[in-house]
Amino acid sequence: MSNKPVVTVNPATGAELASYPSLDEAGLDAALDLAVSTQEAWRKSSLAERATALRALGNILRTEVETHAALISNEMGKPITEARGEVLKCALTCDYYADHVEEFLAPKTVKTEAKKSYVSYEPLGVIFAVMPWNFPYWQVIRFAAPTLAAGNAGLLKHASNVTGSAVAIHSAIERAGFPKGLFTTLVVSDHSAVNRIVEDPRVAAVTLTGSEGAGAKVAEAAGRSLKKTVLELGGSDPFVVLGDADVEAIAPFAVKARFINTGQSCLCAKRFIVQDNIVTDFEHRIKALVENLVIGDPLDEKTQIGPLAKKAFVDDIDRQVQDSIKMGARLVTGGHRIDGPGNYYAPTILADVTPEMPCFNQETFGPVLALVAADTPRNAVKLANASQYGLAASIWTANPEIGVELGEDINSGALFVNGVVASDPRLPFGGVKLSGYGRELSIEGMHEFVNVRAVWIGDMPSVA
């Protein structure tokens, strides 16, 4: 296994940030052994002890929010105001699981002919997580908080460009009082190591957030070992606006839904399907808002659009934009790289978009909004479903009951009516179709990585 150092780079400037030594085979083997032995003791810990450590972790994140937020901004370019919000959301999630761990793991009595019978929720062992760069703290904590609270250990292979974030999270978890080795960041430069870790008998289950290609590879490796996986993959969420909606009121929410995190989120709305009687008004209003978005240094409090996380991503998003224009999409604003240092791309709106265009049928991971006209609400639903993805959907209408009725016909893991789609520790999160399977967050997320065991107790039979 290669142990070439992992180097992080500031996407706003191109300057090198730090270099991290990579684990060799012996180091990886030692980390796996330590995770197993630590988890064997941790599974016997009380739920109160686990809750105390979670609350301490939440407090650390709040106290150190500025340090962690700056690290996020420097490593992947998130505007500092959003990075700060990400860290605080992680703290809130730690509190949520601390408050609910006893409820979520409490045995459930089942009435049978036995003297006593119940369902117990017991830890599986060591859970391996492969996580992406776009929400470098949130993706990890939403896995780690319920996983460690359930009595498991966690191993993290984070995206290499946010290695500093991964190391900082590891430190915070240990400083919160979780045992050393219970959660470990694995700094590995060899991508082939991921499959070897997945297949290692010391690993009980696997979770991945990333592209469908990465998810398929991990699922294949886990399948060979008959291990459970949870996959949260790509998304091309529809933002459906019906003809009775208040366009002026909705426009700011539409821009927020698309351009948060510079459009680099699986959960961003990407296809804006608007009923044709209001689509022109909608276009004019969002154009004005998008052209006023502040592009700049992610550490500047005023910045709303930062750089894309990697230079190659600028090429990817520009290709999707230019190919869509060649196929008939109309450029409303943006549509070009921004000169100067860093990986910047102009916030873009494409109108007259149709399903065969890349900005409709591919995941656009950057600041590009695709505007699609629909003649009827039913056709809007049809267009919403014309995607290989099914992560989330939102519908905007003056009649919420109609929104729910139509939304029930959209294939997605989440449905929001008159609200911007967002993950929330109180609600399960995950998708259908190529957006993956399994759920994170809420009680469902915690139960993904427990052994749901039936227990049946009877009296000793006696000889008549």
Side-chain angles (χ1 to χ4, degrees), residues 235-250:
S236 186
D237 291 0
F239 186 108
V240 178
V241 185
L242 300 187
D244 64 355
D246 183 338
V247 174
E248 182 179 6
I250 291 171

Side-chain angles (χ1 to χ4, degrees), residues 326-340:
K326 289 174 184 175
M327 297 175 71
R330 175 168 50 86
L331 180 63
V332 176
T333 190
H336 60 86
R337 305 164 191 264
I338 296 176
D339 293 334

Side-chain angles (χ1 to χ4, degrees), residues 334-418:
H336 60 86
R337 305 164 191 264
I338 296 176
D339 293 334
N343 311 326
Y344 288 89
Y345 197 83
T348 298
I349 299 173
L350 294 178
D352 303 335
V353 171
T354 55
E356 69 275 7
M357 297 176 184
C359 63
F360 186 105
N361 61 36
Q362 298 175 12
E363 182 176 28
T364 49
F365 225 64
V368 176
L369 184 155
L371 186 54
V372 185
D375 55 358
T376 66
R378 280 292 160 193
N379 192 40
V381 170
K382 183 178 178 181
L383 287 164
N385 281 330
S387 171
Q388 59 189 336
Y389 300 108
L391 191 55
S394 64
I395 294 184
W396 301 77
T397 173
N399 189 331
E401 291 77 17
I402 293 295
V404 172
E405 180 183 337
L406 290 170
E408 288 174 348
D409 291 332
I410 296 177
N411 297 320
S412 66
L415 172 66
F416 280 54
V417 177
N418 294 335

Side-chain angles (χ1 to χ4, degrees), residues 143-433:
F143 141 74
T147 296
L148 301 182
N152 297 302
L155 295 174
L156 170 65
K157 165 59 181 79
H158 217 329
S160 60
N161 60 321
V162 291
T163 298
S165 295
V167 171
I169 294 167
H170 179 149
S171 170
I173 287 173
E174 288 195 351
R175 288 186 286 122
F178 289 94
K180 181 177 175 59
L182 188 70
F183 180 92
T184 301
T185 287
L186 304 174
V187 180
V188 292
S189 56
D190 185 351
H191 291 294
S192 66
V194 169
N195 280 1
R196 295 209 293 278
I197 297 168
V198 170
E199 294 172 350
D200 192 290
R202 289 168 288 188
V203 169
V206 185
T207 181
L208 175 142
T209 298
S211 69
E212 62 268 27
K217 289 178 182 176
V218 164
E220 180 183 5
R224 286 194 293 268
S225 303
L226 299 180
K227 293 179 182 177
K228 182 172 185 178
T229 53
V230 169
L231 303 179
E232 195 270 281
L233 308 178
S236 186
D237 291 0
F239 186 108
V240 178
V241 185
L242 300 187
D244 64 355
D246 183 338
V247 174
E248 182 179 6
I250 291 171
F253 293 98
V255 173
K256 177 182 177 182
R258 182 63 193 104
F259 294 98
I260 191 170
N261 203 28
T262 313
Q264 299 173 111
S265 170
C266 55
L267 204 57
C268 276
K270 298 183 176 73
R271 297 174 298 133
F272 288 72
I273 302 167
V274 182
Q275 206 162 338
D276 53 11
N277 65 308
I278 58 170
V279 70
T280 300
D281 187 18
F282 185 83
E283 177 186 323
H284 290 160
R285 292 184 184 278
I286 63 171
K287 178 178 185 289
L289 293 171
V290 169
E291 290 179 341
N292 283 323
L293 290 171
V294 178
I295 306 165
D297 180 352
L299 292 176
D300 187 329
E301 296 283 340
K302 298 185 182 70
T303 295
Q304 297 167 293
I305 299 291
L308 300 187
K310 294 184 180 181
K311 187 175 182 180
F313 298 163
V314 180
D315 296 332
D316 292 340
I317 200 73
D318 191 56
R319 174 189 53 78
Q320 291 173 313
V321 168
Q322 303 311 326
D323 286 352
S324 296
I325 291 172
K326 289 174 184 175
M327 297 175 71
R330 175 168 50 86
L331 180 63
V332 176
T333 190
H336 60 86
R337 305 164 191 264
I338 296 176
D339 293 334
N343 311 326
Y344 288 89
Y345 197 83
T348 298
I349 299 173
L350 294 178
D352 303 335
V353 171
T354 55
E356 69 275 7
M357 297 176 184
C359 63
F360 186 105
N361 61 36
Q362 298 175 12
E363 182 176 28
T364 49
F365 225 64
V368 176
L369 184 155
L371 186 54
V372 185
D375 55 358
T376 66
R378 280 292 160 193
N379 192 40
V381 170
K382 183 178 178 181
L383 287 164
N385 281 330
S387 171
Q388 59 189 336
Y389 300 108
L391 191 55
S394 64
I395 294 184
W396 301 77
T397 173
N399 189 331
E401 291 77 17
I402 293 295
V404 172
E405 180 183 337
L406 290 170
E408 288 174 348
D409 291 332
I410 296 177
N411 297 320
S412 66
L415 172 66
F416 280 54
V417 177
N418 294 335
V420 174
V421 173
S423 55
D424 184 315
R426 298 166 295 184
L427 294 171
F429 177 76
V432 295
K433 300 195 285 188

